[in-house]
Amino acid sequence: MTISPAPVLETAARASDTARRCAVEPDRFGVHLRAEGVEAMVHAPRAVSVDLCLLDLGADGTWQERRVRLHRARWGRWAGFIPGVRAGQVYGLRVHGPWEPTHGLWHNPDKLLLDPYARAVTGTLEVVPAVYGHQVDASLKGRGTMRDRRDNLGHVPLGVVVDDTFNGDPAQHPRIPWETTVVYEAHVRGLTQRLPGVPEQLRGTYAGLAHPETVAYLKDLGVTAVELLPIHAKVSEPALTTRGVSNYWGYNTLGFFAPEPSYATAAAQEAGPAAVLDEVKGMVSLLHEAGLEVILDVVYNHTCEGGLDGPLLSWRGLDGAGYYLHEGITHTAYLDVTGCGNSLDFRNPVVVRMALDSLRYWSQVVGVDGFRFDLAVTLGRRGERFKPDHPFLVALATDPELSRLKLIAEPWDVGPDGWRTGQFPAPLAEWNDQFRDAIRTFWIADAAAAVHGNSGNDLRDLATRLAGSADLFAHDPPPDGRGPVSAVNYVTAHDGFTLADLVAYDHKHNDANGEDNQDGSDHNISWNHGEEGLTEDPEILAHRRRTMRNVLGTLLLASGTPMLTAGDELGRTQHGNNNAYCLDDETVWVDWHLATWQEELLATTRHLLALRRQHPALRPGRFEVPDPVRPALAWYDEHGASMTVERWHDVHRRVLQMYRRPQQPAEGSDALMVINGAANPVRVTLTSAGADQFRLVWDSARDTPQGQPGSDACADAGTTVTMPELSMRVYLSC
């Protein structure tokens, strides 16, 4: 149904229903319920006046709008108390002031704006000229910066007043230690859209994610935290909408406080925004009951308004000069360090507060356990330069509640000096791209070189990543460094090839995206093992599957915090698409109908995670002070002898033994990881520098795990075994 605006019942010029002055200025931005109405406060420092617009849908399908003038308060704020307003009230903002885009001033009262602090949203964005603050033609191309005077009501999302009273219990948070954390990155819709056992009406929803079938799978797999791709309210970029696709991943935020309603069940959407919020809270609560943490991927680095030629939806119309980062001292161009058209300016205390308020809301009211910060370098920039002591990062470290959460930085953006892996302060952990590249290089790129008779890299980088990336996360002497658990190790993520595609494609195949295969990275560090894409060649398939097992073994048993991308444990494919952000179909939904080899890969993943969980030697929580008598970590070559400088630098050496002891002697068995990256079988002598005997608990050359640890007989240290080509083994001391 098309809903058209009706004449305003009361104009701003004669707003006799002006909001009452508050006896005390509100201490919260946004619109919040009180006993007899709502309290409102908004930041618009350069405005002349601000109207809170109350909207009711008439019987004829048109909006009835009542404008209520807010009072000027301190520090650029506008506030008031409006009696009689109840939960469920739809509202927006109209801002009066100068229209001077060259000075960052985009005030246009003909455009109804979304409250940046809205706890719920209703309606969709229609990509029509009326949603732009400046004049555009039918193709949405701008004609200068002339103000557009068409009303956008009926074409834009609106805020909804909800009861956001805290009703949870922080004590219910699982509070899983970093040392035992295993992160599972998933999309709310994609994880359960095709999951058998989840009722049809719950698939692809918040409720479906918390369904017993989903929860049982996650628990059986062995992960401890679900990291969800953005669930903040979103809109698709106009360019995607005009192509007939959508922003499936969700990295185009419309509201930092409102949940995305399209992920709720049809029943919740029909019942209204309060029911959508309740479904999100219910999802978090049920996952907590199962002992699983919930981490949200959050996008505070930019907004959905895009570049200066984008629509006028919220922040730009309130304070375009203050919310966004501009080039130099003028406001004629954005400084786009995100690659998304705009970047929020974290020099502005209002921007810092908005992000912190959002984090506190989601953690203290909704109940989530942590956040992964997309393009986090932007959040620590003072203009062009990143600063580890940025006020936002200091606030995270010093806030008594936020600092206790799991905080994970994506340590880069596309701006100057934007790659900052290892440079974020505690308590933040970081996505470890150095681990990703090292593991892909050793098991995929260098393996391809070895198969073709060429040499690759030496073993130093592989060993550094296996040991927890001390070069990045131990700047201070042990034990005062950030520790290996600050490295969130991953080999794949939502962005890029899946694990199955890493071993099946040399090149990206993004034709379905509609961008002539120009989007997505060309640096994949992948190898098709002899044939591009699908094949029925049994030898190629066998090698691909062993490589996947090698990668999973290295990822899940290395020091650090492992992150597994949903579906990699099943061999999920996107058919070579490494940038499927705009596809919402079977390409990106997890397919749960498994072939035999996929069942075997899943069994392998479960086995590896069980080993990690049961044996502390495989998951050290800190970097140890070197101990020559009883080292917690030691390295040996294929002969069982200690690695030397010459061996570390030899690009022809492809065999490595990593010996680990638990950091507390009473914590269990020692672990020995043996890696053969050569293209031929190698005889390896198990080192005799530690335990007297070992039992084999996992061999990547086997299609399935060989059973529970201890099922194999013990072998004496010093025994020589034959390691198949391109394989790895894990032994535990007897």
Side-chain angles (χ1 to χ4, degrees), residues 111 144 166 211 250 283 290 335 374 386 628 669 724:
K111 309 302 175 183
F166 174 68
H211 186 272
M283 172 193 71
L335 179 58
D374 182 66
F386 171 79
S669 302

Side-chain angles (χ1 to χ4, degrees), residues 663-680:
Q663 293 181 320
Q664 297 297 327
E667 285 185 333
S669 302
D670 296 356
L672 179 64
M673 182 185 295
V674 185
I675 291 174
N676 177 19
N680 55 275

Side-chain angles (χ1 to χ4, degrees), residues 448-464:
V451 166
H452 292 94
N454 301 315
S455 60
N457 296 273
D458 60 40
L459 297 169
R460 288 175 295 161
D461 196 25
L462 173 68
T464 300

